[in-house]
Structures are given as structure tokens and as C-alpha cells.
């Protein structure tokens, strides 16, 4: 039984359009597919074309159509033009390189490229140019090249674009097309011109040799462009009053590629570019398209400065255009040129800033990026006002970028510290939750370094906290500052603005509130707990603080728990160290000055811990006082030092000897010391370092005894032990023995240590070292080296009155004391003088 | 170069699609859905160029039909904007009324205008010449 004739495509479309649901549509399509399949099986030539057309439509809707691929090939092989048309279309839509079927087309295409009818040839070129695989291209490149030289403009233009595809697939064949390009540009037909320019562009982009070869075409291109502009109305190519704008744009693009980096070519095009820029009608979009391309070209080639200014002015005019497309395009181009032509772009700054208020999202983003690029020392105040206003009102996607940009700009160009802090406050309060995580340590560092603004800053941050505790970065910075400068807050010392009356309890209320609030993240809670702890040295309400700290000792959050437990221990066992540990932070130095992103992270703390490897000058900062010892001692290792207060002179019998250090040349001048300062606000790290294994390890390492001095019959030995209960203190016992025949009288052992050490000399057993090793003098020295500092030991003997012994300065270096825990690593005592007087009998 | 050209109606259904760059058949549906979503959501004040993934979209609305063209970074957006208009004008010239029923003819026109992602011909007469010849052949 014969099937009814398959329906036409338009019937199918009409039918499918009537479907109201997806399911209905699917049903219709499936029915039709089945009909088409059976029709294909019947090998019906008449209706194949129709069926494939329908199949293509269904394919476009998203339904599988692969069973039609072979049918397309049959259509291509047919003699009828209508069949071929659909067949090739089907091939372009359904087939691609991955199907093996497409290779079968090669022969057909070859034949069709030589067909008598130009339209058929055109079809073949089109298909080859769309989906030809590398093998096909290789096979058929010769044919394409032949067609490129034909005088038939219809074919020539298609052949040019087909050649582009061939070159893309098989780059080696590029040379083959070179001779054919010789007179492509002398064509009158715009279609051919256009595609030839495309072909030339493709060749230039792919090969630098071709590029230099084609540079000689610049005069010709300039001429063509000139003709386009100067010629009158030509109905063939007119688009809104401009003659073939597409070709103009394409030529300009090719000129751009040819002129880039080449002085001669750039000079040859200067005139025409200026002409296009000034003569083109700007009332319609078409004109603006050409101007846009011109501007891009001017910017890329080596144009003279007058031309560049002209280009930027065009862009400025674009910015004022009502058409948002044009404004968008202008902002994009300005962004590209702002680096190179900064001053020229600055002139349009106010317009750009106005674009921040535009309704279109992409325009706003461009304007924001451009504004940041234009900020400099002169316009910072005005720009920042606009940018802050923008930050208030912009979409959340922008806020993070905007905030970071503002921070960077403020850092580079801040006119005053007060302004800087104000700006930061503003950003934190308006967009606090969008600020990036790494800004928090940078801000903290900035605040620390603006010493005179501490009171003002902490006051403002406190007030901000009262208003809103949901924005984590703001809360973190605020709690850190309150912990640090709480005393300033309570004492009402602010100079910059009206000081507020705050009591200690109120401050602690706020901080405790942060701890319990659901809005606070674990990191924030850590900050506030530490802040509370720090206030224990600044406030007087110790009991309250102790209570809070002990409560959190059993917190579920492990981090909080550890902190609380260690703070508790600080209260109980190490109370004498607490003031030193929780002291005010010194000024932090940056490792690099180009932006806040250079800080080094350690310990995964959110605070920045900075390793400063520069030699700190010993005058200006309090931080460096503690490093004078390194001056003297010239340790070569970078040992992380825990910064504490600079202790006063060690209260010991040997105190006055410190002065003697002045005339000692110990290590031959100040050596460049790798001073490391690791300021921390998190005592857990501190305590970890100090007590190595947590506080509960009382096992002190045994340090072997050593001989400190052995000369002229006098032997001095040190023995070491750790003191209980404080393992940080080393107890050194001196044994002095005398193997000479004479007693040594008036034996006084003195010691001087660097300033960070604390030294206690207990009274010796006697002044006289008996002869013949009959006895010894013992003396106990207690040394506290809170910094893990290596130092040299240099004993000196100075015999003032003993005639037979000359005074010698005999420096030697003690082997460093072996420690198995990190407590006192490498502490070497510095013994300044040993006074010996031997009685002369 | 031009990556693809789509014609979609206001409900988001694809009326015509042409890809000049290999996109897997399975991925086409989702791509089209994304593109359409991006363009239909635009308000009137917003500009016709959208940044989409790593390339750009130029779209233009004609009554109930949206024409969306995906272009690469280096292409001149304003120029493509004009091209879309040119295309519509050609369609207008050939089809006096609703075009969507002769999809194959639209493809033919498109092929005459854009080949392999680049513009071939923009002159209306010359674009329509083969089509008119085809019609004449079909009649006879």
C-alpha cells in the first residue's frame, strides 16, 4: 500500500506550533519521524528533499536526526538543484568531522566545485568552508585556489572565505594561496573586496612573514578606504547614508594589524585615519561603528599624539551619547587605553564617574574599573566620595571588587591618616560583609601603624559595633582594636572627635555579646575572646574577665576552648608574664611596600604575622630596642622572636656591667642582623612557643656542663639546670678551681647580658680560689632568656694589678647550650669581664 | 568572527539556529537556553551587548522575535549590530510576511550573507539573486 505523500515543511511547522505542551510536541515529532523513516526506507527520490527539510527543522528543535545523514549525501549526489541545496544544508547542519560519513562527500564536492552552474559551485564552496575536515581541505585546496582566481565575483568571494577555512584547518597550505591574493584588492566588487580583506587578515594573523609581505598593500588599502569615503551616494552599498560601512570596518581592522609596531605603515595611514575620524557621520549607529573601529586602530598603531588625542576625544563624545550601546563601547575602549594615554583619559573623568550611576550593569562595571584606574593623588577626595556612594548603591556582585579597589586606592593616595581611617570605616560599615578576608589583617596593620589615631579609631569602631554586629570583617577589626586600645576608649582620650563615655563593663558587655551572638563566625569569636583577654591588662575588672575566660574553657569549639584554657593558665600560673605578653603591639613593618597583599601568613591565624628581614634601625621604633642585642651578638639565624616589652636593666649584682658592654668589641661591629619580629595578638602561639609542649611539661632537658674558661691555671666550669617551677630560667652554677700554686684572691665573677636577658647573681661562696685545686668557688647565676636568642659568650680576663700576667682579651665562643625543647635555644651568656687578682706573694 | 546566530521568540523557543563553530548537539540546547535567558532578562535601558562566558552576545529585538549573535572578543559589536539589521531587512525584502514557515529559504539567505563566521555579502540584491534564481527554477 502506498504511503500518503509526506507533508510539506510548512505544514509540519504549522502543526507543531499548535502543540500546547512539550509532550504533545514530542508526540507529533515522533509520529513524523516514523513517517520520514519509512519514507527513507522506500528510497523515494521525489520526496527525499522534503523529508530531509523536515528533519532539519526537527533537529533544530533538539530532536535526534542522525538517521538523516546518509540521506543528505544522496541528495547531494542528485542532479537537481533543489535536492543539492537541501542536501548541502543538511550536511552543514547535521554532519561534522566526527562522523565518518562526511568523507563520502569529498567526491561530490569536488565534482560540484567544477560544475557548470555557479550556484552549485557556490553551494559546494559554502559547505566546504563550513565543515570541511582537514583531509577534505587538503584534497580540495587546489580547486579552491583555482576558484579564487576566477573572474566570477560570486564565486570569488565565496572561494576567499573557503580559503580562510582551509588555512585554519591546514596551516601549511597558506603559501599555496599567496599568488592568488596578488590582485584580489583590485576588484571592484565589494563582496570580493570584503572577503579578500578577511582572507588577508587571517593570513597576517597566522604568519609574521605574511604580515611583513602584505605591508606593501597599505597604500592600496588606504586608497580603497578613501574612495569609499569620498565617493558620493552609491545605492548599492549604502547603509543609512554611509557607503559600505562593513567594508570600511574590515579594512580598518586590517590596517590595524598591518600598522601595529611598524612606523612606516603607521605613518602611511595617519592621514586617512584622521579623515575617517573627522568626516564620519555620527548621528547613526553605522557611523559610530566605523568611528569605534577607527579609534581601536589609532590606539594600536604607532600614531602621532595628535591623532591619539583625537581618538580619545571621540570616545569622550561617545560617553555623552544617549545610546547606551555606544557608551558601553566607549567605556570598554577607554579601559584599554587608560594605561597608555592616562592624561587624555583624565579629561573625561567626570563623565566616566557619571556613568557609575547608569542603569546598565555592564556599563557600571566598566565605569567602576575605569574610575579606579583614574584615581590619583589630586583627585582622590572627590573620586572617593563618588566611589563610596557607588558602593552604597551597587549590586552585591560589585561590592567585593569595589571595596578592594577602594582600599587599594586609599592606601596609595590617602591625603591624611584621618581620612584613610574614615574611608575604611565607611567601607566596613556599608559593605562590611563583602570585604575580602585578607583585608582584615591589612586593615589591622594600617591601624596599628597610625599611632596618633588609635583613640579615634577605636572609638569609631566601638560605635559601629553598637549599631551592627552582623558584618564579620568589621566585627573582627573592631574587636581586635578594642582589645588593643580599650584603655584609650575607656579613658575618653579622643582628640579628633567628641569622646564618648564608656565604662569598662559596657565594653566587656559588647565583647561578650559577640561571643554569644549567632551572627558571629568562629573566627570572630576567637578575635573577641582574645580581645577580652588583652583587656585584662588594660582594665581593672579582672574577675569578670577571668570568669568569661574560664567559661569558654569548656566550649565545644576546639579553637575557643584551647584559647580559653591557655588564657586560664596565664592567669593562674604565669600571671607575672601576663602583662608582658599582652602588651601593646609594636608597629608592624611590611615586607614590601607595594600593596597589602605581601604579608606573610603563619599559623593559619587570620592576623598577619610578618617576618621582617630588614635590619631595623635602632632608633625610631620601640620594636627595635629589643633587637639591639642582635646587634651585639650577630646571630646568623633567623629565629622567630616573641616580642615582649623591653625589660629594664637586670636587677642583679652585675647590673653596672652593662655599661661595660659599650667598650667591648665583641663580634667586630654591628653585623647585619636578620631581625625578626613576630608580633602576635594570639597568646596561644606565644605560649606554645614559650613552653614548647604545653605548660604541663615539667621535665627539663639536661644541659651538659661546660668549661667556660681554662687558662693560666684557672678553670671555670658551668653546670646547668632548669629551675622549678619556671623552666624558663636556667640556673648556672660556676665552679672555679685553681691549679696554680698561689691562691687567687679577690676573685669576683661578673657577668653582663644583653638587655632582654634577666640575670641574677647570687653571692659566691668565697672570694678566694684556693691553690692546688684544693677547693672551689661556687656561685649561682639565674638567667631568664625569654627570647630565643643566640648570643656569643665572651669572657675576658682583666688583670689590673697582677704583674706577671698580662691582660689579655681572649674571646671565645661558648658552644651553645643544648636544649631539647625550644625554650632557650642557643642562649649563650655573655660574660663581660672576669676580674682576677692574684695575690702576689 | 561570528560564533552562532539564533532567532528566538519571546517564550524562548528557537526559531532558527546556525552555528559557525563546532558545538556538540547535546550542548546546543543548554547553550541556547542560557543565551535566551540572558537576553530576555534584559530591560529596555540596558545596552544590546552582553558579556557571556568568554565571548559577547549582540541581540536585537524585532516585535516578538529576538535575534542573538554570539561573537568573539575582537569583533566590532556595533558593526554586528548593523549586520543584524541588514539581515532583517533582507528577510523583509524577500518574505513579505511571516518568514518562519520557509526555514530552508532563510538558511539560504543566511548562507549568502555569512560564511564560516565572517560576512560575505551585505548587498541585498546580490544576496537574493541566487534565491530568486532558485525560485524560478522551481517554478519551471
Amino acid at each position: 500500500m502506498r504511503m500518503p505523500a509526506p507533508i510539506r515543511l510548512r505544514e509540519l511547522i504549522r502543526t507543531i506550533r499548535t502543540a500546547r505542551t512539550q509532550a504533545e510536541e514530542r508526540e507529533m515529532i515522533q509520529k513524523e519521524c516514523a513517517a520520514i523513516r519509512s519514507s527513507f526506507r522506500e528510497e523515494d527520490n521525489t520526496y527525499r528533499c522534503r523529508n530531509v527539510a523536515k528533519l532539519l527543522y526537527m533537529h533544530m528543535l533538539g530532536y535526534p536526526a542522525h538517521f538523516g545523514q546518509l540521506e543528505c549525501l544522496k541528495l547531494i549526489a542528485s542532479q537537481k538543484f533543489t535536492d543539492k541545496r537541501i542536501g548541502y544544508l543538511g550536511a552543514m547542519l547535521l554532519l561534522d568531522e566526527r562522523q565518518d560519513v562526511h568523507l563520502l562527500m569529498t567526491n561530490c564536492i569536488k565534482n560540484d566545485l567544477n560544475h557548470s552552474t555557479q550556484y552549485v559551485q557556490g553551494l559546494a564552496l559554502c559547505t566546504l568552508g563550513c565543515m570541511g575536515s582537514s583531509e577534505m581541505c587538503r584534497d580540495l585546496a587546489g580547486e579552491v585556489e583555482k576558484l579564487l582566481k576566477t573572474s566570477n565575483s560570486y564565486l570569488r568571494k565565496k572561494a576567499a572565505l573557503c580559503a580562510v577555512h582551509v588555512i585554519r584547518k591546514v596551516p601549511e597550505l597558506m603559501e599555496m594561496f599567496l599568488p592568488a591574493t596578488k590582485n584580489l584588492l583590485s576588484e571592484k566588487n565589494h563582496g570580493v573586496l570584503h572577503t579578500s580583506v578577511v582572507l588577508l587578515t587571517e593570513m597576517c594573523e597566522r604568519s609574521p612573514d605574511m604580515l611583513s609581505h602584505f605591508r606593501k598593500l597599505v597604500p592600496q588599502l588606504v586608497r580603497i578606504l578613501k574612495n569609499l569615503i569620498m565617493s558620493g551616494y552609491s545605492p548599492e552599498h549604502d547603509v543609512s547614508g554611509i557607503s559600505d560601512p562593513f567594508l570600511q570596518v574590515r579594512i580598518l581592522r586590517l590596517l590595524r594589524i598591518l600598522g601595529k609596531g611598524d612606523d612606516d605603515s603607521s605613518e602611511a595611514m595617519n592621514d586617512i585615519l584622521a579623515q575617517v575620524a573627522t568626516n564620519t557621520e555620527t548621528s547613526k549607529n553605522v557611523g559610530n561603528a566605523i568611528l569605534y573601529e577607527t579609534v581601536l586602530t589609532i590606539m594600536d598603531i604607532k600614531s602621532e599624539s595628535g591623532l591619539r588625542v583625537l581618538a580619545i576625544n571621540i570616545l569622550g563624545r561617545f560617553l555623552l551619547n544617549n545610546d547606551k550601546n555606544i557608551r558601553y563601547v566607549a567605556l570598554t575602549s577607554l579601559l584599554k587605553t587608560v594605561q597608555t594615554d592616562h592624561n587624555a583619559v583624565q579629561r573625561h573623568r567626570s563623565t566616566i564617574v557619571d556613568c557609575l550611576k547608569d542603569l546598565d550593569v555592564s556599563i557600571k562595571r566598566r565605569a567602576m574599573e575605569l574610575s579606579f584606574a583614574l584615581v590619583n593623588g589630586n583627585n582622590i577626595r572627590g573620586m572617593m566620595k563618588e566611589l563610596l556612594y557607588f558602593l552604597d548603591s551597587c549590586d552585591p556582585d560589585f561590592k567585593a571588587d569595589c571595596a578592594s579597589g577602594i582600599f587599594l586606592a586609599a592606601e596609595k593616595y590617602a591625603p591624611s591618616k584621618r581620612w584613610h581611617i574614615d574611608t575604611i570605616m565607611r567601607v566596613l560599615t556599608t559593605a562590611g560583609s563583602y570585604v575580602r578576608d585578607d583585608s582584615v589583617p591589612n586593615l589591622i596593620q594600617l591601624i596599628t601603624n597610625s599611632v596618633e589615631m588609635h583613640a579615634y579609631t577605636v572609638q569609631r569602631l566601638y560605635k559601629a559595633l553598637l549599631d551592627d554586629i552582623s558584618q564579620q570583617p568589621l566585627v573582627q577589626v573592631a574587636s581586635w582594636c578594642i582589645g588593643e586600645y580599650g584603655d584609650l576608649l575607656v579613658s575618653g582620650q579622643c582628640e579628633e572627635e567628641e569622646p564618648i563615655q564608656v565604662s569598662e563593663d559596657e565594653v566587656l558587655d559588647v565583647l561578650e555579646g559577640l561571643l554569644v551572638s549567632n551572627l558571629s563566625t568562629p573566627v570572630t569569636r576567637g578575635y573577641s575572646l582574645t580581645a577580652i583577654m588583652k583587656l585584662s591588662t588594660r582594665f581593672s575588672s579582672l574577675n569578670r574577665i577571668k570568669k568569661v575566660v574560664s567559661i569558654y574553657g569548656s566550649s565545644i569549639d576546639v579553637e575557643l576552648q584551647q584559647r580559653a584554657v591557655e588564657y586560664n593558665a596565664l592567669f593562674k600560673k604565669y600571671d607575672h608574664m601576663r602583662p608582658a605578653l599582652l602588651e601593646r603591639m609594636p608597629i608592624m613593618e611590611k615586607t614590601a611596600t607595594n600593596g597589602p597583599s605581601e604579608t606573610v601568613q603563619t599559623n593559619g591565624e587570620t592576623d598577619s604575622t610578618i617576618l621582617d628581614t630588614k635590619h631595623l634601625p635602632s632608633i625610631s621604633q620601640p620594636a627595635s630596642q629589643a633587637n639591639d642585642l642582635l646587634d651585639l651578638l650577630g646571630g646568623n639565624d633567623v629565629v622567630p622572636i616573641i616580642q615582649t616589652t623591653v625589660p629594664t636593666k637586670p636587677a642583679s649584682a652585675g647590673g653596672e656591667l652593662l655599661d661595660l658592654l659599650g667598650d667591648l668589641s665583641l663580634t667586630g661591629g654591628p653585623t647585619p642582623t636578620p631581625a625578626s619580629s613576630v608580633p602576635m595578638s594570639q597568646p596561644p602561639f606565644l605560649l606554645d612557643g614559650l613552653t614548647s609542649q604545653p605548660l604541663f611539661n615539667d621535665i627539663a632537658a639536661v644541659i651538659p656542663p661546660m668549661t667556660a674558661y681554662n687558662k693560666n691555671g684557672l678553670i671555670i666550669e658551668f653546670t646547668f639546670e632548669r629551675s622549678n617551677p619556671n623552666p624558663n630560667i636556667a640556673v648556672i652554677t660556676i665552679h672555679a678551681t685553681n691549679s696554680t700554686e698561689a691562691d687567687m684572691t679577690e676573685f669576683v665573677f661578673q657577668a653582663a647580658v644583653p638587655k632582654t636577658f634577666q640575670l641574677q647573681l647570687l653571692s659566691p661562696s668565697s672570694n678566694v680560689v684556693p691553690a692546688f685545686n684544693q677547693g672551689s668557688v661556687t656561685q649561682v647565676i639565674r638567667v631568664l632568656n625569654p627570647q630565643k636568642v643566640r648570643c656569643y659568650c665572651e669572657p675576658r680576663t682583666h688583670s689590673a694589678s697582677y704583674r706577671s700576667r698580662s691582660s689579655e682579651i681572649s674571646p671565645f665562643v661558648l658552644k651553645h647550650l643544648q636544649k631539647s625543647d625550644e625554650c632557650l635555644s642557643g642562649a649563650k651568656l655573655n660574660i663581660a669581664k672576669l676580674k682576677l687578682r692574684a695575690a702576689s706573694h | 568572527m561570528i560564533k552562532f546566530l539564533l532567532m528566538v521568540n519571546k517564550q524562548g523557543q528557537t526559531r532558527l539556529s546556525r552555528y559557525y563553530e563546532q558545538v556538540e548537539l547535546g550542548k546546543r540546547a543548554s547553550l541556547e537556553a542560557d543565551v535566551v535567558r540572558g537576553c530576555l532578562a534584559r530591560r529596555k535601558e540596558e545596552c544590546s551587548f552582553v558579556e557571556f562566558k568568554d565571548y559577547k552576545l549582540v541581540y536585537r529585538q524585532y516585535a516578538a522575535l529576538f535575534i542573538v549573535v554570539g561573537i568573539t572578543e575582537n569583533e566590532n559589536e556595533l558593526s554586528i549590530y548593523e549586520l543584524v539589521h541588514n539581515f532583517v531587512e533582507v528577510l523583509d525584502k524577500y518574505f513579505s510576511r511571516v518568514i518562519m514557515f520557509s526555514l530552508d529559504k532563510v538558511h539560504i539567505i543566511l548562507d549568502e550573507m555569512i560564511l564560516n563566521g565572517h560576512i560575505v555579502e551585505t548587498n541585498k540584491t546580490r544576496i537574493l539573486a541566487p534565491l530568486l534564481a532558485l525560485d524560478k527554477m522551481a517554478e519551471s
Side-chain angles (χ1 to χ4, degrees), chain A residues 228-231 233 238-243 245 248-249 252 273-294 314 317-318 321 323 326, chain B residues 78 82:
Chain A
L228 280 175
I229 311 175
M230 300 311 263
S231 67
Y233 177 72
D238 183 85
V239 180
S240 305
I242 299 188
S243 196
Q248 290 192 32
V249 163
L252 284 166
L273 288 173
Q275 207 173 359
V276 174
T278 39
N279 283 355
T280 311
E281 266 276 331
T282 56
S283 53
K284 295 279 182 59
N285 184 53
V286 199
N288 288 325
I290 297 178
L291 281 176
Y292 177 43
E293 197 72 36
T294 316
I314 292 177
R317 259 206 322 273
F318 274 4
N321 196 310
D323 189 344
I326 312 256
Chain B
L78 294 173
E82 279 304 309

Side-chain angles (χ1 to χ4, degrees), chain A residues 647-700:
Chain A
T648 51
K649 287 187 184 177
S652 66
E656 66 270 25
L657 279 181
L658 279 177
D659 299 328
L660 300 172
L661 281 174
D663 49 17
L664 294 180
S665 60
L666 293 173
T667 54
T671 46
T673 58
S676 326
S677 60
V678 176
M680 248 146 324
S681 66
Q682 309 303 329
F685 176 76
L686 180 71
L687 289 177
D688 281 345
L690 270 188
T691 61
S692 65
Q693 280 64 53
L695 317 175
F696 319 104
N697 184 0
D698 279 331
I699 303 167

Side-chain angles (χ1 to χ4, degrees), chain A residues 60 81 85 92 96 154 157-158 161 168 189 236-237 285 289 292-293 324-325 328 360 366, chain B residues 15 18 22 44-48 51 76 81-82 100 103 111-112 118 120-121 123 126 134:
Chain A
M60 189 192 79
F81 182 66
R85 174 64 247 184
M92 277 193 274
D96 58 39
Y154 176 78
K157 68 187 184 195
K158 292 193 191 249
L161 284 181
R168 282 210 191 123
N189 181 301
E236 269 198 0
H237 308 117
N285 184 53
Y292 177 43
E293 197 72 36
K324 43 204 164 13
N325 295 338
Y328 171 84
D360 182 293
R366 291 273 184 291
Chain B
R15 293 276 171 242
R18 194 60 195 272
Q22 254 322 311
K44 204 129 176 265
E45 319 81 55
E46 292 182 295
C47 71
S48 312
E51 276 149 48
N76 184 335
Y81 194 68
E82 279 304 309
M100 284 296 104
L103 212 52
D111 276 339
E112 289 295 318
H118 294 286
V120 180
E121 183 65 63
N123 180 294
R126 277 188 278 223
L134 189 64

